[in-house]
Structures are given as C-alpha cells and as structure tokens.
Amino acid sequence: MVRYDPWMQLEFFGAAGEVTGSCHIVRAGGRQLLLDCGMVQGDRDAAARNKLPFPFEPTGIDAVVLSHAHVDHCGRLPLLVKRGYRGPIYTNPACADLVPILLRDAAELAVREAERVREDPLFGVDDAEAVVRQLVRVPYDQPRELLPGVLVRIREAGHILGSSSIELYVEEGGVRRKLVFSGDLGQYDTPILQDPFAFQSADLVLMESTYGDRRHRGRDDTERELGAILAQAARDGGNVIVPAFAIGRSQELLYLLAKHYAEWQLARWKIFLDSPMAIAATRVYWGHPERLDDEASRLRASFRGMPPLPNLVLTESADESRAINAIRGGAIIIAGSGMANGGRVLHHLKHNLARPECHVLIVGFQAPGTLGRQLVDRLPEVRIHGQRVPVAAQIHTLGGLSAHGDQQDLLRWYDGFKPPPPVFLVHGEVASSEALALKLRERGVTATVTRPGLQIDLAGVKSLAHDWPSP
Ligand SMILES: [Zn+2]
C-alpha cells in the first residue's frame, strides 16, 4: 500500500475551516510527523466526527508533536494510541505536566457519556494513561532531531502555560525547508505568561486565526470592565457564574482577582474554584516559575501555592460543589466546562440563569452549538439537563480576557517574519480566517485559508529561511 508520495509534504486534516480538532501532518524523508491530535468540539455532530477513523493510518505515524494541552489539540491522542500508535509524543515539560490532568478528565467524561448512550466509550482511562507514558519532554528553545531529516525547536506561544509554537526543519534529498506552526497564540502582555516568541524567518507558516476578524478591548479596559461588572453584581446581590477552561482562563481570572483584591473590594465575595481539574492545573502553573512573566514571578515569590485570595474556596468533591447551589448571593463561581457544554458549571447556570440579579461572565471562545454560544447569542431560553431554563441573568462577554490574540496580535506575530513567507491559516471559522487572509494579502502576502485534505508540496515552496540549527 502506498501511504504517501515520497516527497516533502504538509497536509491539513483538522482545524481547517473551523476552530477545533487541530491536526496536521508533515512528511519528509519517508517519515510522517503529526502536529497535534485534537478533539472536535461543539454540537452532537462533533461527537460523531471524533469517532470517525483518522484520515491516515495511526501505525504509520513516526512521531507526534503536541503544541499545548487544550483538548482541541490533544484530545484525540488517547484514540490515536487506542488505534495503534506506539511512538513518542513530544512536547515541552509544562505541557507534559498538564496533559495527564486533561486527558484523565476527558477519558472519564468519555466513559460516562458512553454509559449514558449505552455505547463503547471513544477511549478509556487506560488509553489516556498510555498517552502519558508516551510523552517525551523537549525543553523550550533547544533544537532536537526527532526523526532523520526532521528537526524541531519549541518556542513560547503565550496562550496558556506550556503552549508552544513549533519550528520545524525538514530535509529530503538535499532540499531543506523551515516551517513554523504557530499553535494557539496568546495576546501580548497577557497576565502570568511571557509574550509569544518573536520569529524572524520561515519558508512557510501555519497560523491560527481564531480571532482573525476581531479586535479585543485593550488589557486595561478589560480589567476595568471586569471590575465594573463585579461592582454591579455586588449591588444586584446575586451570584456571578464564570464558565472557564480549567487550564488558562481559570488561572488568569484568579490572578486578576488577586491583583485587584483591595481595589475591587473583593473581600465581600466568596470565590469558588469549582473544578478539580482547574485546581490541579493551578498547582502546575505555579510549579513552573520559569515560564511566568516578571509580574507573575514577583507575585509568586510573595506567597506559596495559589494566588493570595483569602476568600478562595477550592471545591474538589461533588458534595462541596453541590453545597454551592444553596448560596443565593455573594458568590463568584468559576467552573468548567469553558463552553458550558458539560461539567459542574451547568448546575450553577441552572440555579442562577433565571434570576435577573445574577451575572454570567463569558471569558473564552464559544464554539457554535454549545450552551456558552447560546448565552453569547442572547437566547431568551436554553435547555440544561433536558430542562428549559429562561435566561434572565445578565450576560457579559469579556473578549479581552481571551487566551487568543486578536487580529492585531496575529499580524504583529506574523510581521516578525522577514521576508514574508506564504501563510496557511488554520484554527478559525472561515469568516474569521478570510478576514485575516484579506489583511495579509493587503500586505502582499500569499495567504491561504486551509480546508481538510489540502496538501502542500514543500519542495515547491520557495526557500526564504537560511538558518539551520545543529541539534
Ligand atoms: Zn488552545
């Protein structure tokens, strides 16, 4: 069976024409390297798509490189292993510490969901554990030969702890090409994390475009807006519910609450981090001081473990979580899932959405088909656990807290490349990717919005980058 044409090639599978399901393949020297293996998130259709066979043979993959620990980038790794992949999964050390937290949770979720619909689970806890055993830690900024003719260097992406952009040097028959895969890019000057790495050269760029059509509010404005919402919520006397990704947004929120504790009079609130996964991830965050920015390093040096919030309650058990339901006002509840399509936040929304004195804060991207998206779209009524719940609570979308850079951030990242290499846009809804492509084309850049199955002959790409690190 001919698995692939014997030349250097890049092929797009997932997060092509949409945001989730990140998965691309690089072929060189007769080897195949997989970039990310993410889950598709969203409506019921997404669950069905995650079950489909991979559009490649898992046993034919020689190495996997993982950009970061979000489920839409690593969530199908257990399935890849279950379907026969036994090779190394390379990622940076901070990401390798977060992956077990995330995948064990994903596996338990898959098993519970399977019981509910009386089917075999997509994968089990054993498969997640197998992924953890196959993880290989590659430090940031050090070139490493992963396969003959494939050299990789991992760079900061500033999106969540342990997020990375991947520099790939591929060689075949004397032809050398340098690819840069952005991974998910954070905003510049985001709290806690360092800025995305400033690249200077590449022959070809794969770039995310989640917010390719949007401008976030400025960082200071966003923090002021958050303070104002909490002040209003305090006057209204209800609760504040924040659906938040366990890894990333939860830590940033806690950090901001700690930073403005006195100014925002937060002593009057009880703050709940109601997610065992977020609690575990927070410990990993503070266990990697080498990845923090200066301000966060200073804050970390002044305390141990968690941000210094005297009224922070960590609720690990389900009973502790249920007890929160009795609280009618004065609680800020941070809980998953981040798109409110499952998890403990559903219970909190069920108890608070119908009450006009309550507030819901949306702080991250909401995929179409999720409850979070329905709230953003201001539906007057939603369904939770099969029950109709009218939406009377006040819904706020704080785009400025997003883990993703906006159009300006993305252009700033790309503008570091000189001369400008051709760019393939991934990880965006088509309208968003197209808007960014338009901006790039105005600069004379060849920009392509990818679709699944699109193949690029790398030897046919013009050589622009001339650095070649030695491992
Ligand atoms: Zn991400």
Side-chain angles (χ1 to χ4, degrees):
M1 184 178 90
V2 178
R3 288 205 315 237
Y4 47 88
D5 297 325
W7 56 61
M8 291 197 293
Q9 202 181 48
L10 167 66
E11 186 171 351
F12 301 93
F13 293 120
E18 62 185 321
V19 166
T20 62
S22 179
C23 187
H24 319 292
I25 211 162
V26 176
R27 304 183 172 110
R31 310 293 178 117
Q32 303 200 86
L33 179 120
L34 198 66
L35 290 173
D36 287 348
C37 192
M39 191 114 55
V40 182
Q41 292 174 287
D43 49 18
R44 278 198 198 95
D45 178 47
R49 288 172 60 200
N50 285 319
K51 288 181 195 156
L52 291 176
F54 289 101
F56 48 82
E57 184 55 54
T59 53
I61 299 296
D62 298 287
V64 176
V65 179
L66 173 63
S67 68
H68 66 287
H70 274 152
V71 76
D72 61 321
H73 294 257
C74 70
R76 282 181 100 203
L77 282 172
L79 191 63
L80 189 75
V81 166
K82 183 181 177 182
R83 291 180 181 169
Y85 178 67
R86 296 285 174 270
I89 300 165
Y90 296 100
T91 194
N92 68 78
C95 178
D97 284 348
L98 289 171
V99 165
I101 298 170
L102 191 114
L103 288 187
R104 282 172 192 145
D105 182 81
E108 283 165 17
L109 212 84
V111 171
R112 273 203 304 274
E113 174 63 14
E115 279 167 7
R116 196 180 64 81
V117 296
R118 300 199 177 133
E119 278 179 12
D120 287 336
L122 191 58
F123 51 78
V125 176
D126 289 353
D127 302 307
E129 295 300 340
V131 170
V132 173
R133 284 194 299 275
Q134 282 167 245
L135 289 173
V136 179
R137 289 154 191 258
V138 179
Y140 278 90
D141 303 320
Q142 292 175 23
R144 175 131 170 205
E145 190 171 33
L146 302 189
L147 297 167
V150 179
L151 202 107
V152 156
R153 185 156 47 187
I154 290 174
R155 302 294 203 176
E156 179 61 51
H159 165 66
I160 59 167
L161 182 83
S163 64
S164 52
S165 300
I166 316 283
E167 249 176 75
L168 276 163
Y169 297 83
V170 294
E171 180 173 15
E172 185 173 297
V175 179
R176 291 174 155 188
R177 292 292 179 269
K178 176 181 176 183
L179 280 65
V180 170
F181 170 40
S182 69
D184 285 5
L185 293 168
Q187 301 187 52
Y188 289 85
D189 300 319
T190 207
I192 306 178
L193 302 173
Q194 297 165 27
D195 280 347
F197 179 77
F199 286 97
Q200 294 178 339
S201 73
D203 298 319
L204 183 150
V205 169
L206 276 83
M207 185 181 177
E208 73 122 314
S209 50
T210 314
Y211 289 120
D213 60 347
R214 242 165 290 178
R215 285 283 298 273
H216 295 324
R217 232 170 226 253
R219 171 63 47 194
D220 293 344
D221 278 356
T222 299
E223 292 187 20
R224 262 196 299 279
E225 193 184 353
L226 176 59
I229 292 167
L230 292 177
Q232 181 61 47
R235 284 193 292 277
D236 292 344
N239 294 323
V240 178
I241 315 297
V242 193
F245 293 103
I247 302 175
R249 287 323 77 205
S250 295
Q251 290 75 32
E252 186 175 331
L253 273 167
L254 292 180
Y255 181 84
L256 290 178
L257 296 179
K259 188 176 155 189
H260 296 284
Y261 188 78
E263 182 197 346
W264 294 351
Q265 303 172 45
L266 296 180
R268 58 190 164 181
W269 292 94
K270 224 174 173 164
I271 302 165
F272 293 92
L273 184 58
D274 185 29
S275 157
M277 197 171 36
I279 294 166
T282 304
R283 293 194 178 111
V284 176
Y285 257 73
W286 300 109
H288 280 276
E290 79 286 356
R291 302 314 310 166
L292 306 182
D293 68 8
D294 295 343
E295 189 191 61
S297 295
R298 279 196 299 277
L299 190 65
R300 182 184 179 278
S302 67
F303 62 88
R304 283 155 56 106
M306 293 277 180
L309 287 164
N311 49 351
L312 176 65
V313 184
L314 305 174
T315 47
E316 304 227 29
S317 77
D319 282 343
E320 290 171 310
S321 174
R322 265 192 292 274
I324 303 172
N325 292 336
I327 302 175
R328 301 292 289 171
I332 298 173
I333 307 160
I334 304 168
S337 69
M339 299 188 195
N341 49 347
R344 291 181 177 181
V345 78
L346 290 183
H347 295 277
H348 303 309
L349 289 171
K350 198 159 71 180
H351 282 87
N352 292 281
L353 267 184
R355 303 170 55 215
E357 67 273 29
C358 291
H359 293 248
V360 179
L361 259 176
I362 301 287
V363 295
F365 179 79
Q366 306 295 316
T370 60
L371 175 60
R373 181 65 160 257
Q374 292 171 3
L375 295 176
V376 169
D377 293 343
R378 301 287 194 276
L379 259 63
E381 186 183 90
V382 295
R383 287 189 89 87
I384 301 176
H385 297 142
Q387 248 173 274
R388 292 145 76 107
V389 183
V391 182
Q394 299 165 61
I395 316 288
H396 311 271
T397 308
L398 267 179
L401 278 188
S402 170
H404 289 270
D406 64 3
Q407 186 185 68
Q408 220 178 15
D409 291 317
L410 294 169
L411 290 171
R412 173 174 166 185
W413 182 83
Y414 176 83
D415 282 342
F417 292 98
K418 304 255 176 343
V423 54
F424 290 85
L425 297 173
V426 294
H427 206 284
E429 289 175 17
V430 173
S432 171
S433 303
E434 288 290 359
L436 185 63
L438 212 68
K439 282 278 167 198
L440 288 161
R441 287 178 200 135
E442 282 170 12
R443 291 162 145 79
V445 177
T446 310
T448 308
V449 177
T450 54
R451 55 181 193 280
L454 177 67
Q455 296 179 339
I456 311 299
D457 170 18
L458 293 176
V461 172
K462 200 167 142 197
S463 171
L464 301 169
H466 300 290
D467 60 316
W468 199 268
S470 43

